[in-house]
Amino acid sequence: MALDTIIKGGMVVTATDRFQSDIGIEDGLISVLARNLDDAPEIIDASGLLVMPGGIDSHVHLDQPGSPGIVMADNFETGTRSAAVGGNTTVLPFCLQAKGQSLRQAITEYERKAEGNCHVDVAFHLIVSDPTPHVLGQELPALIEEGYTSIKIFMTYDDLVLRDRDILEVLAVARRHGALVMVHAEGYDTIRFLTDQLEQQGNTAPFFHGPSRPVVVEREATHRAISLAELVDTDIMIVHVSNRQAMEEIRRAQQRGLAIYGETCPQYLVLTENDMDRAGMEGAKYVCSPPPRDHDSQLACWEGLQQGVFEVFSSDHCPYRYEDEAGKTNVKGKTSFRYVPNGIPGIATRMPILFSEGVDKGRISLNRFVALTSTNHAKRYGLYPRKGTIAVGNDADLVLWDDKRKVTITQDLLQDGCDYTPYEGMEVTGWPIRTIMKGRTIMAHGVVSKPKNGTQLKRTLPRVKTY
Ligand code: URP
Ligand code: ZN
Ligand code: ZN
């Protein structure tokens, strides 16, 4: 056995186990787990640190086109660099089909943008906005076969919304070919109605983004999405769940034996609607959808994480610069919350926030932390066991974590393309010290290595059903 690297003296933590072990790495794979390994050209001292599977963030938006004149703050280089800073080794961004565009054309464009520019491994979900007969009958089945095994659909947004009939068509294709549909569950017409009313009353500040899409809007759409999935008998993942009523819809469905999965995100644990009520345009920094809610919603999201209603914890990293006419403070955005681009950054802060608020404060176990930030993403999205755990034969994707390190989050630490973080000034306990992808250090003490060795991963189906 000719090891290339040994990670020495750390406490290995997986979704199920915790044990003291060295890790021997050969050709980018974990080759041995044992104590007292000492023969390799590179020995990395992990004493006093936790050694966990590298983070997998299965909900990120990078270099995604938006409304005319609006530009996302991260391309694949900056977004994946920030991912590495935050302890991640794989991210799953979205490949968005514009209306009228073929899915194949969309994926070709995204892959060209990603090629050679990624610090971490990448696998794409598809966003279907135009489910034509050709997309449903030919493109989707072929792309699912090729490993694009998850599809996001939207129940809101002018450019993306699918009506119930279209949702059913996509769900039916997913069921037939074994793909997973991720659902953005907020109702289009209810939001339009409330937005028009708020504007007519002169309520246009960023704060009114929250009242334009209250809990009932999310609960209704969550219930409808679950009903449509039940009708077609297919699995769905309700993404970025923000509150108790939506969480309870998912829990009820699960208790009835339906394969409905849930995801929540850091913004729903530590931000509230009050953050959008800051002076001037400052509230725009927190505008995302669904919006952050209230204290009870935060408690409900914790309950969902603790009880397994939510199986993944993702960032929904969707960054727009604040001081930028192509971002949060674009000219029209200053006239109404309706035009403030939705989404906030968080790819680097996802794991530290969950560790600090969850593990350090005793809300979740260390094993659950690993499941929620890595293992469950790999399992649900067809990357397991190559990714998401620490075992012989798997990719040596690891994060060395200092569980005692106290860090005050500031934008300059995060190295993304944004000009602010919604978590500025928040103190966290626990921080990634080194990120290792396929045996190579890609980040150490905040310094990201120059080579960009991230590749595009081929995924398998989570499961296949046949009629
Ligand atoms: O506000 C958000 N979440 N924007 C990102 C797009 C999405 O819906 O995930
Ligand atoms: Zn969404
Ligand atoms: Zn998103």
Side-chain angles (χ1 to χ4, degrees):
M1 179 172 37
L3 297 177
D4 304 315
T5 304
I6 293 170
I7 317 287
K8 203 164 174 52
M11 176 69 75
V12 174
V13 185
T14 69
T16 48
D17 298 304
R18 175 185 182 145
F19 52 94
Q20 197 77 43
S21 180
D22 301 341
I23 301 179
I25 298 170
E26 192 183 342
D27 287 337
L29 302 178
I30 296 173
S31 149
V32 56
L33 290 166
R35 293 204 186 189
N36 303 320
L37 297 177
D38 56 14
D39 189 13
E42 181 184 37
I43 302 215
I44 294 172
D45 182 12
S47 43
L49 300 177
L50 304 175
V51 182
M52 301 186 282
I56 302 176
D57 192 343
S58 61
H59 188 151
V60 307
H61 303 264
L62 301 175
D63 217 339
Q64 186 173 297
S67 310
I70 301 298
V71 180
M72 190 160 272
D74 272 321
N75 55 30
F76 283 87
E77 197 278 318
T78 57
T80 58
R81 180 173 65 201
S82 188
V85 168
N88 300 282
T89 49
T90 299
V91 298
L92 282 80
F94 293 91
C95 161
L96 182 147
Q97 175 206 25
K99 283 226 162 41
Q101 189 185 34
S102 83
L103 272 178
R104 181 68 67 182
Q105 194 188 343
I107 198 77
T108 305
E109 281 174 19
Y110 273 87
E111 288 183 353
R112 187 179 43 74
K113 290 195 277 192
E115 182 64 35
N117 287 319
C118 294
H119 292 274
V120 305
D121 281 346
V122 167
F124 286 100
H125 308 289
L126 305 170
I127 291 177
V128 173
S129 70
D130 200 359
T132 61
H134 181 66
V135 165
L136 295 168
Q138 269 103 61
E139 288 204 303
L140 263 182
L143 287 165
I144 294 168
E145 183 70 26
E146 287 171 35
Y148 302 94
T149 53
S150 42
I151 305 156
K152 186 174 178 193
I153 57 170
F154 287 78
M155 299 172 80
T156 189
Y157 293 133
D158 288 337
D159 300 340
L160 300 172
V161 59
L162 298 191
R163 300 299 181 179
D164 290 358
R165 172 64 194 256
D166 289 330
I167 294 174
L168 287 165
E169 300 287 358
V170 173
L171 291 174
V173 173
R175 185 193 195 281
R176 210 169 299 127
H177 298 276
L180 179 71
V181 176
M182 307 161 76
V183 183
H184 180 125
E186 290 184 297
Y188 178 77
D189 287 319
T190 41
I191 293 170
R192 284 289 295 261
F193 172 76
L194 292 170
T195 300
D196 290 347
Q197 280 203 335
L198 286 161
E199 282 185 347
Q200 280 157 21
Q201 293 154 3
N203 294 324
T204 54
F207 171 74
F208 293 99
H209 175 73
S212 77
R213 41 223 308 154
V215 164
V216 61
V217 163
E218 187 182 342
R219 187 203 67 212
E220 180 277 326
T222 302
H223 182 87
R224 183 154 42 100
I226 291 169
S227 306
L228 298 177
E230 183 177 7
L231 202 75
V232 181
D233 182 25
T234 195
D235 307 4
I236 55 168
M237 166 76 71
I238 306 284
V239 293
H240 45 50
V241 177
S242 74
N243 68 85
R244 182 174 298 284
Q245 294 185 27
M247 185 276 282
E248 286 177 348
E249 290 288 343
I250 299 169
R251 184 161 60 195
R252 262 196 300 280
Q254 292 170 347
Q255 286 166 348
R256 289 198 296 118
L258 300 178
I260 307 295
Y261 311 110
E263 173 202 80
T264 193
C265 314
Q267 48 271 37
Y268 306 118
L269 300 181
V270 298
L271 301 179
T272 69
E273 60 206 345
N274 295 335
D275 287 301
M276 285 178 288
D277 197 16
R278 299 186 184 215
M281 283 298 288
E282 280 282 312
K285 291 181 175 175
Y286 306 87
V287 166
C288 59
S289 293
R293 310 280 186 192
D294 59 7
H295 182 61
D296 181 64
S297 300
Q298 295 178 341
L299 294 180
C301 289
W302 280 113
E303 251 179 71
L305 290 170
Q306 288 157 341
Q307 298 172 1
V309 179
F310 301 137
E311 70 167 20
V312 287
F313 184 75
S314 308
S315 67
D316 192 7
H317 180 78
C318 187
Y320 296 98
R321 290 170 59 83
Y322 176 66
E323 302 273 7
D324 198 322
E325 296 219 336
K328 293 284 189 183
T329 52
N330 67 82
V331 175
K332 281 170 83 180
K334 290 182 193 156
T335 69
S336 170
F337 64 87
R338 183 199 292 257
Y339 304 109
V340 173
N342 286 198
I344 60 176
I347 207 165
T349 43
R350 174 186 71 122
M351 292 176 77
I353 288 174
L354 187 66
F355 190 92
S356 187
E357 294 294 311
V359 180
D360 193 62
K361 294 195 174 164
R363 292 176 167 121
I364 57 169
S365 72
L366 206 40
N367 301 113
R368 184 104 191 104
F369 172 79
V370 172
L372 286 166
T373 55
S374 182
T375 315
N376 291 353
H377 301 253
K379 288 183 173 170
R380 182 57 54 211
Y381 294 109
L383 292 168
Y384 191 83
R386 176 178 174 193
K387 304 288 189 187
T389 192
I390 298 178
V392 170
N394 300 345
D395 282 0
D397 288 358
L398 305 165
V399 59
L400 275 49
W401 195 275
D402 184 344
D403 63 342
K404 304 279 179 312
R405 174 80 60 101
K406 288 195 189 304
V407 172
T408 301
I409 295 175
T410 54
Q411 172 53 22
D412 58 312
L413 286 178
L414 309 179
Q415 302 182 44
D416 59 15
C418 213
D419 59 351
Y420 80 97
T421 165
Y423 310 109
E424 185 76 30
M426 180 177 174
E427 189 178 273
V428 289
T429 302
W431 195 256
I433 300 302
R434 185 184 289 260
T435 311
I436 296 171
M437 185 189 59
K438 289 179 282 198
R440 294 197 187 144
T441 293
I442 57 169
M443 184 284 290
H445 301 283
V447 179
V448 177
S449 317
K450 286 226 159 50
K452 299 184 276 288
N453 292 321
T455 54
Q456 205 198 310
L457 302 169
K458 190 162 169 55
R459 294 189 282 135
T460 57
L461 294 175
R463 85 276 170 279
V464 180
K465 277 183 188 168
T466 47
Y467 280 107

